């Protein structure tokens, strides 16, 4: 008989309170056992829960029962009878395993959970999506952890999350067993038996437990028999996590968190970090929870130079093996990175301890990401079935910078519970599997933006979470291989082979030759019979271009006697107007021989891919545009051309004879790039095979050799600078600046001759604002390196704005491109053709504010569908440039009170779903450390802010996280593309060597090899297109980031009363206005070019 718990001084009351406050796994389990003994309760499942609820009816327990009753009353659970009689085994007490166990318990199943450890020691912090916060609150999370998501927090440590879920699971009757390891499945020995588990220790009483369902949440390294894994591999990626003790002092509270900063759109911050400390990172995140948690991606060369990694090794496991890591150096590395990123404002950083009582710093490899090919399967033996499902990391390994692990893990737990519900209802096994796989297809694409907005309605029913989901996307007939009968033979070494196939379609060469012949038929002097001598005069290539784009070239004006100049002109047209990079130099094209036929075939295949229509069809007067497969490359080519012109004009404006230089450029013919050898790398001088060949500014090279001369960062089309004077390529940050242009004061340390050692000393200015340096744009008092300063020729400013060049301080530094100090053999730099005539007739486009608004809201994607109507929430912020002239003229527009009133009204109207436009404006600040307090104020002070200001601060944090996630997703995909490029190049080199081998091979074999090579070239083209699309997104991210920074700086100055502004403040405000106008113009140009790309794809 149970003891009533509402009597004064009842010991059950005290035990329950200790259970709620318990902070260790063993303590939680001990308190719960003691509580059940005190109340005389036994059993498991919802029966135990109802017993607890009846016995503990005092006020503190009633609030928790109220929440759990509301949860358990959902129709999906059928009052706890939906899975009555179903016995489940859950492996792993991580957040996902515990969340799945809770759902199964609410369905009425008997749930046994195994955990191989006996403690929760992971201090690392998880980012929570809005629905996960709502879900945990519905489970009573704040009763167990009072600080759960208070104020602006949207994250929680893994340890605290496990404790919350463990307590809920125990209250709902889940049987939890610690120090028990799952080793595998034991099929039933007879028709009367059921499925069991192989456990360690073997003496565990659970070895005799028979179950119908197994849910594995054991982590990425453990997957039950029968499941196949597939792997995506990127470039070497080394992550570092570290936790410091959080004493919750006021100084610590005031330090701003960093939702995420990525090199891909903010290189200056990371360049400063490297210059001052020698630490080279790709990204960094900082959260405050039980600990100060930092996670970052470090470059291998930086770890080697700092002595963290002792010896460089090719094998990743050996590279990061404990015996190859200097632990003390790792601690110093992590601590210095944490100090710099928080501006040395965290006092007395002391490492928290892990479960081994060592400093909680870990270095891990996430080069390879794995996922299961399927989410569930059924095994049958001796007439007995068991349903196997995966959740958590063993289903999909999360890419940590995206912060998707726990959110998608919870979604998968709900999906698994729905599957078990369907299984218990008697649904045929194949239908259960087909529905589960249909849902699994959606998991990897989920985000807060593409799941249902009404998170309060989420349940285990997939339709409540995934919009327009088709539960019959996969048919039962397609999952027959997931129903396994009998014993399963497991090949632990087998993995999905993602290597490219070289199986090519039919006779590609013959088809290409026929197409060229038909496309050039009827042109005088053109007779295409082969892929060598028929093309030396340049007339054939000119005819091919003229056939489809007569607006680009005048066939009758071509001089066949000057073949080199003709070819150079055609190569430039193809590159600048069609997005086709050259494969041969103009000299090689004019002296074509049989050995060069492979290069020409490769080059012409690009034209066929773009204009592969039947030449017999009458070509309309309207010129054809490149198809979508090349549109992105063409767009980046034009963008790069604009940047080059802007660099030249900026340099010219700094010279006294700039007008003379412009005059010469307009009158002199382009210089010919005729001396380059296409099969020798411009940088290293080694052989460049066709598939690995890349080109820029008429130079040919290996993709891997295309790096910044100064810092060794990987360069890509659309994001490099070329100095014609010295023949070197640079990233935008390190492009040589004209003599009259000074770097910002706070960037002096970025100079190569700067005293890095002195700069590495912690700042000693006690009066400086302790705010995180999450951004790296120049300070408001200094112009960007690409923009002429006040007092220079105004023409330079106009030209720079007209051409839409990207900011000089921004760089896309790709992973693995660590600094390379050593020189490599280089080919003799050759002059490049000036492109001044291209800009001679260009007129400045003056856009109205409404036109700028329309352009700035266009979607930078390759989708053919028109964009939806503009969101009203964007109107005020996007229309801000309209008010800029009035501000410059001192008309007093945007007074503080008016701004507050308008902003408060807009925020009230758009707080739910239409805030994305404003999120792009409210962002973290640069290394000036000034405006970050506006974005990340002291939580104690933030409570005093008006609603509109608190909303802006929240949206700024959300916007920063979204931008960081977008950047990391882009960077990860770029890394995967780079690895695929390498695999493709290796195959292409082998084929080209076979084709160029002097030993005669049968003609049929030669044709087959050629077709395979062209197939690889086509694969390369598709990858380049995808890479170019990603680079366009990078450019947009950069400008969006800079506009957010400038907008926030401007807001900080405008919030000051005029009477309190100093002359320096007014000057700084004008400088920011000037920079903001330039950035808006650049975004408009970028969007306009992107819109041209979209329209050309629609016409194709």
């Amino acid at each position: 008989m149970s003891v009533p718990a509402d009597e004064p001084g009842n010991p059950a009351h005290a035990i329950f309170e200790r259970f709620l406050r318990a902070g260790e796994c063993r303590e939680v389990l001990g308190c719960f056992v003691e509580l059940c003994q005190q109340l005389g309760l036994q059993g498991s499942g919802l029966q135990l829960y109802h017993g607890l609820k009846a016995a503990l009816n005092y006020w503190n327990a009633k609030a928790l029962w109220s929440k759990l009753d509301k949860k358990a009353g959902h129709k999906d659970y059928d009052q706890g009878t939906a899975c009555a009689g179903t016995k489940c085994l859950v492996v792993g007490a991580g957040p996902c395993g515990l969340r799945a166990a809770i759902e199964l318990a609410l369905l009425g199943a008997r749930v046994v959970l195994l955990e191989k450890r006996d403690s929760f020691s992971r201090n690392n912090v998880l980012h929570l999506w809005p629905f996960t916060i709502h879900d945990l609150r519905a489970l009573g999370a704040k009763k167990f952890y009072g600080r759960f998501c208070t104020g602006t927090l949207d994250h929680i440590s893994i340890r605290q999350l496990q404790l919350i879920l463990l307590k809920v699971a125990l209250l709902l009757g889940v049987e939890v067993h610690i120090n028990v390891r799952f080793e595998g499945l034991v099929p039933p020995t007879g028709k009367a038996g059921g499925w069991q588990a192989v456990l360690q220790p073997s003496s565990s009483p659970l070895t005799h437990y028979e179950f119908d369902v197994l849910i594995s949440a054991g982590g990425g390294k453990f997957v039950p028999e029968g499941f196949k894994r597939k792997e995506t591999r990127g470039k070497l990626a080394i992550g570092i996590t570290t936790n410091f003790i959080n004493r919750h002092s006021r100084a610590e509270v005031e330090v701003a968190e960093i939702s995420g900063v990525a090199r891909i759109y903010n290189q200056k911050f990371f360049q400063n970090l490297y210059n001052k400390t020698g630490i080279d990172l790709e990204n960094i995140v900082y959260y405050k929870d039980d600990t100060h948690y930092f996670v970052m991606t470090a470059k291998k060369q930086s770890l080697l130079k700092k002595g963290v990694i002792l010896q460089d090794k090719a094998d990743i496991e050996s590279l990061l093996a404990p015996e190859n890591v200097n632990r003390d150096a790792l601690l110093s590395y992590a601590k210095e990175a944490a100090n710099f990123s928080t501006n040395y404002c965290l006092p007395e950083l002391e490492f928290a301890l892990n479960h081994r009582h060592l400093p909680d710093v870990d270095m891990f490899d996430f080069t390879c990401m794995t996922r299961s090919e399927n989410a569930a399967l059924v095994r049958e033996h001796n007439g007995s079935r068991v349903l196997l499902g995966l959740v958590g990391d063993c289903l999909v390994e999360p890419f940590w910078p995206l912060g998707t692990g726990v959110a998608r893990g919870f979604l998968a737990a709900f999906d698994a519970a729905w599957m078990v519900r369907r299984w218990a209802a008697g649904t045929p096994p194949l239908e259960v599997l087909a529905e589960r796989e249909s849902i699994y297809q959606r998991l990897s694409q989920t985000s807060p933006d593409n799941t249902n907005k009404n998170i309060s309605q989420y349940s285990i029913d997939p339709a409540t979470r995934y919009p327009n989901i088709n539960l019959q996307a996969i048919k039962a007939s397609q999952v027959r291989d997931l129903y396994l009968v009998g014993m399963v033979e497991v090949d632990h070494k087998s993995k999905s082979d993602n290597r490219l196939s070289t199986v090519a379609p039919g006779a590609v060469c013959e088809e290409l030759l026929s197409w060229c012949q038909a496309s050039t038929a009827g042109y005088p002097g053109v007779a295409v019979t082969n892929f060598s001598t028929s093309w030396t005069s340049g007339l054939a290539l000119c005819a091919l271009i003229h056939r489809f784009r007569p607006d680009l070239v005048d066939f009758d004006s071509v001089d066949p006697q000057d073949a080199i100049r003709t070819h150079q002109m055609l190569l430039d047209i193809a590159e600048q107007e069609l997005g086709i990079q050259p494969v041969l130099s103009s000299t090689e094209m004019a002296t074509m021989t049989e050995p060069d036929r492979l290069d020409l075939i490769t080059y012409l295949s690009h034209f066929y891919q773009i204009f592969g229509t039947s030449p017999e069809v009458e070509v309309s007067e309207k010129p054809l545009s490149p198809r979508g497969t090349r549109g992105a490359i063409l767009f980046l080519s034009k963008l790069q051309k604009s940047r080059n012109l802007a660099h030249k004009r900026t340099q010219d404006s700094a010279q006294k004879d700039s007008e003379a230089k412009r005059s010469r450029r307009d009158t002199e013919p382009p210089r010919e790039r005729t001396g380059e050898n296409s099969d020798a790398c411009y940088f290293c001088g080694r052989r460049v095979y066709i598939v690995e060949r890349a080109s820029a500014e008429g130079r040919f090279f290996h993709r891997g050799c295309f790096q910044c001369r100064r810092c060794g960062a990987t360069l890509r089309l659309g994001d490099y600078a070329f100095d014609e004077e010295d023949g070197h390529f640079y990233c935008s940050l390190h492009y040589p600046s004209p003599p009259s242009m000074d770097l910002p004061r706070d960037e002096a340390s970025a100079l190569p001759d700067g005293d890095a050692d002195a700069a590495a000393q912690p700042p000693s200015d006690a009066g400086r604002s302790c705010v995180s340096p999450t951004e790296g744009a120049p300070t408001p008092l200094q112009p960007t390196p690409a923009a002429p300063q006040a007092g220079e020729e105004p023409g330079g400013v106009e030209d720079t704005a007209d051409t839409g060049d990207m900011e000089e301080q921004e760089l896309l530094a790709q992973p693995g491109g660590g600094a390379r100090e050593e020189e490599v053999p280089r080919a003799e730099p050759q002059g490049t053709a000036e492109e001044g005539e291209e800009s001679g007739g260009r007129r400045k486009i003056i856009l109205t504010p409404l036109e700028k608004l329309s352009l700035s809201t266009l979607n930078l994607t390759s989708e053919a569908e028109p964009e939806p109507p503009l969101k009203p929430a964007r109107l005020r912020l996007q229309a801000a440039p309209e008010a800029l002239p009035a501000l410059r003229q001192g008309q007093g527009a945007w007074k503080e009170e008016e701004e507050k009133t308008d902003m408060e009204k807009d925020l009230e109207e758009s707080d739910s779903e239409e805030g994305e436009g404003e999120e792009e404006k409210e962002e973290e600040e640069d290394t000036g450390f000034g405006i970050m307090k506006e974005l990340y104020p002291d939580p104690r002070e933030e409570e005093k802010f008006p609603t509109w200001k608190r909303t802006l601060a929240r949206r700024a944090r959300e916007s920063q996280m979204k931008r960081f996630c977008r950047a990391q997703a882009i960077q990860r995909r770029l890394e995967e593309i780079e690895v695929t490029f390498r695999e493709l190049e290796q195959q292409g080199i082998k084929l080209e060597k076979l084709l160029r081998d002097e030993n005669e091979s049968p003609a049929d074999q030669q044709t087959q090899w050629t077709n395979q090579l062209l197939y690889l070239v086509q694969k390369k083209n598709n990858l380049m297109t995808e890479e170019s699309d990603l680079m366009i997104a990078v450019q947009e991210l950069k400008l969006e980031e800079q506009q957010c920074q400038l907008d926030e700086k401007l807001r900080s100055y405008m919030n000051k009363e005029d009477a309190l502004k100093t002359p320096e403040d007014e000057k700084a405000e004008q400088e920011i206005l000037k920079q903001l106008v330039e950035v808006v113009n650049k975004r408009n140009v970028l969007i306009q070019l992107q819109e041209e790309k979209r329209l050309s794809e629609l016409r194709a």
Side-chain angles (χ1 to χ4, degrees), residues 650 653 738-744 781-794 796-797 1071 1074 1078:
T650 302
S653 66
S740 62
M741 300 182 65
D742 300 324
L743 288 174
L781 299 179
Q782 295 290 343
T784 62
Q789 296 191 23
E792 290 183 349
E793 297 184 16
V797 177
E1071 287 290 340
K1074 177 181 176 182
E1078 292 175 357

Side-chain angles (χ1 to χ4, degrees), residues 48 56 90 121 187 301 353 384 414 498 626 677 723 737 805 855 865 913 946 1009:
L48 177 62
L56 291 170
V90 179
S121 58
Q301 292 301 323
L353 302 181
S384 178
F414 299 158
N498 292 332
N677 184 3
D723 191 333
S737 301
D805 62 307
L855 287 174
E865 292 79 16
E913 296 180 21
W1009 287 338

Side-chain angles (χ1 to χ4, degrees), residues 400-461:
W400 70 262
L402 300 185
T404 58
V406 69
R408 290 179 181 167
F410 276 25
L411 291 174
F414 299 158
D415 297 337
W418 181 257
M419 174 185 69
V420 176
R421 185 183 189 277
R422 297 273 288 160
W423 174 268
T427 307
L430 289 180
E431 291 185 19
V432 173
L433 293 173
E435 184 178 273
R436 179 69 186 96
E437 297 309 312
S438 299
I439 300 170
Y440 181 43
Q441 287 185 327
R442 292 286 294 271
L443 184 64
S444 293
Q445 285 76 43
T446 54
S447 71
D449 297 325
N450 61 22
T451 48
N452 282 332
K453 304 302 180 185
N454 191 356
I455 59 178
S456 63
Q457 298 299 315
Y458 278 22
S459 72
I460 60 174
D461 185 351

Side-chain angles (χ1 to χ4, degrees), residues 128-148:
L128 299 178
W129 291 5
F131 95 84
T132 54
I133 296 175
H134 184 276
D135 176 67
L136 290 167
R137 280 178 174 158
L139 293 175
K142 288 190 72 67
K143 277 292 179 184
F144 306 110
Y145 183 48
R147 296 180 57 247
F148 175 73

